[in-house]
Structures are given as structure tokens and as C-alpha cells.
């Protein structure tokens, strides 16, 4: 779905046009608002969430493969529950961090979490040999800034769906158009399968505390 977001699509064009040179490193993170913790605990207690890497980081895994046309070969991942120790009882990490090494030598860091006090935080930095791209540094809800005797306040987005509402709509429009025209989607089943395999390798590394080789074929 994130491939349909205007900011990420813009970044894709800049990369494909060679404007930042060769990609050296990508840092991506997605952190849910801590206000959703109770809802998540109930969901994860009754269902298999897949873990922090499958549930949260898989979006960035797909984007990185899309941007680089490259696949990771190794992962080292860690997780903790410092901000929500109660998650240990259901076998979940509150925060997960993974370092991925790609075939080309490019490196990526993934961070997934559920403890953003201010609201939904999603960000990506793409470091190229000739420039950088930063996407969504601050999750501003709108253009409003409140100035009072208590200081300066900018409202933040409070949910994943709020941040990517237009992308969800564009994704559905693309699907409908593909059905009407008989056109195949640019996003393949293989893209989804590989992103899931990579996310599960991250989980394996974090759970076992080992460096994991990633085999996608």
C-alpha cells in the first residue's frame, strides 16, 4: 500500500532518475502511538500478530526492495519490551530493530515500535552517493500551530490510517482499474512473499540472537 503514497512515489522517481546517485544506506521506522497499546495487547493475545517485524516493518521492507531492486542476504535483529514489559507475557516485542545487508553491499536499518507518545510516527531516510531523501520527518496533522503561554504545539497524526488515507484510496482505485482493463498489477505476489520472508528472518534473528542468512529463492 505504501507504494501508492505520494511522498514515497516521489522518492521513487527521484531515485530512478539517478538524482541521489547510488543508494548506500536506508533507515526506516514506523512507531504506533502508545494510545493503541491496550487494543494491540488484546489483538495479540487472541491472535498471532506475526511479531513486530511482520506487523510493523514489512511495509518498509517492501519499499526498500522497490527502491533498490535488491534483496537482503543477511539480517541481525534485536528486540525489547522496556516501554511495555507486559508484552513479554504474550511473546511480543514492543520495539524491534533489524540491520539488513543487501546483495549490492547496501545496508538498511528497520525500527518498529508501539510507544510514540505524540502519535503515529513514520519516517524514512535514503542516503545516496550524491544526495539524501527524507520522508515525513514530522507527523504533522495539518498546518496548524498553537502558540500559548504554555509554549508552541503542533497536533500530530494519531493513526496509521490517518497518515496513509490517500494511499489506501489510490490502491483501491488501481485495483479497480486493473480489473476493468485486464491489466496486471505492477506489484507482484512475489513482492509480498519476499517481504514476508525477510520480515520472518528478522524475527528469527531477534528471537534466537543470531545472524540469519536470508534465502529468498
Amino acid at each position: 500500500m505504501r507504494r501508492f503514497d505520494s511522498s514515497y512515489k516521489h522518492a521513487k522517481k527521484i531515485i530512478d532518475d539517478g538524482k541521489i546517485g547510488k543508494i548506500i544506506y536506508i533507515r526506516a521506522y514506523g512507531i504506533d502511538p502508545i494510545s493503541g497499546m491496550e487494543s494491540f495487547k488484546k489483538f495479540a493475545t487472541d491472535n498471532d500478530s506475526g511479531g513486530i517485524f511482520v506487523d510493523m516493518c514489512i511495509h518498509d521492507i517492501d519499499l526498500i526492495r522497490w527502491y533498490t531492486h535488491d534483496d537482503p542476504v543477511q539480517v541481525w535483529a534485536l528486540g525489547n519490551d522496556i516501554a511495555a514489559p507486559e508484552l513479554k507475557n504474550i511473546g511480543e516485542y514492543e520495539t524491534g530493530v533489524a540491520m539488513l545487508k543487501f546483495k549490492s553491499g547496501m545496508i538498511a536499518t528497520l525500527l518498529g515500535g508501539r510507544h510514540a507518545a505524540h502519535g503515529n510516527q513514520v519516517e524514512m531516510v535514503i542516503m545516496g552517493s550524491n544526495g539524501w531523501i527524507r520522508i515525513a520527518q514530522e507527523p504533522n496533522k495539518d498546518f496548524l500551530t498553537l502558540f500559548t503561554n504554555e509554549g508552541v504545539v503542533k497536533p500530530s497524526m494519531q493513526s496509521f490510517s490517518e497518515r496513509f488515507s490517500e494511499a489506501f484510496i489510490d490502491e483501491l482505485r488501481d485495483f479497480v482499474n486493473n480489473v476493468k482493463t485486464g491489466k496486471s498489477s505492477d506489484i507482484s505476489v512475489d513482492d509480498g512473499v519476499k517481504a514476508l520472508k525477510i520480515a520472518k528472518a528478522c524475527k528469527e534473528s531477534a528471537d534466537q540472537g543470531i545472524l540469519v542468512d536470508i534465502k529468498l529463492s
Side-chain angles (χ1 to χ4, degrees), residues 29-146:
Y29 57 81
I31 305 176
D32 275 353
I34 200 167
S35 59
M37 183 64 73
E38 290 303 316
S39 175
F40 170 73
K41 283 192 293 186
K42 184 178 187 309
F43 170 77
T45 299
D46 298 336
N47 306 272
D48 179 9
S49 76
I52 195 78
F53 299 105
V54 172
D55 189 29
M56 300 289 292
C57 298
I58 197 166
H59 304 288
D60 290 317
I61 291 170
D62 179 63
L63 281 174
I64 293 169
R65 291 189 64 251
W66 188 45
Y67 287 155
T68 64
H69 305 287
D70 198 5
D71 287 320
V73 293
Q74 286 185 316
V75 60
W76 172 255
L78 299 166
N80 68 45
D81 294 300
I82 294 172
E86 64 273 23
L87 291 185
K88 290 181 181 179
N89 297 329
I90 53 176
E92 289 279 351
Y93 294 122
E94 184 282 320
T95 293
V97 179
M99 184 73 76
L100 296 163
K101 177 183 177 181
F102 284 70
K103 291 177 182 177
S104 65
M106 193 271 294
I107 301 166
T109 302
L110 305 173
L111 167 61
R114 308 184 188 282
H115 67 275
H118 60 280
N120 186 255
Q121 179 79 36
V122 178
E123 182 175 347
M124 177 176 281
V125 174
I126 304 159
M127 182 190 299
S129 59
N130 197 37
W132 290 24
I133 298 172
R134 176 180 285 162
I135 304 169
Q137 181 186 10
E138 296 178 358
N140 296 330
K141 184 180 181 67
D142 49 37
F143 295 110
L144 184 145
T145 302
L146 176 64

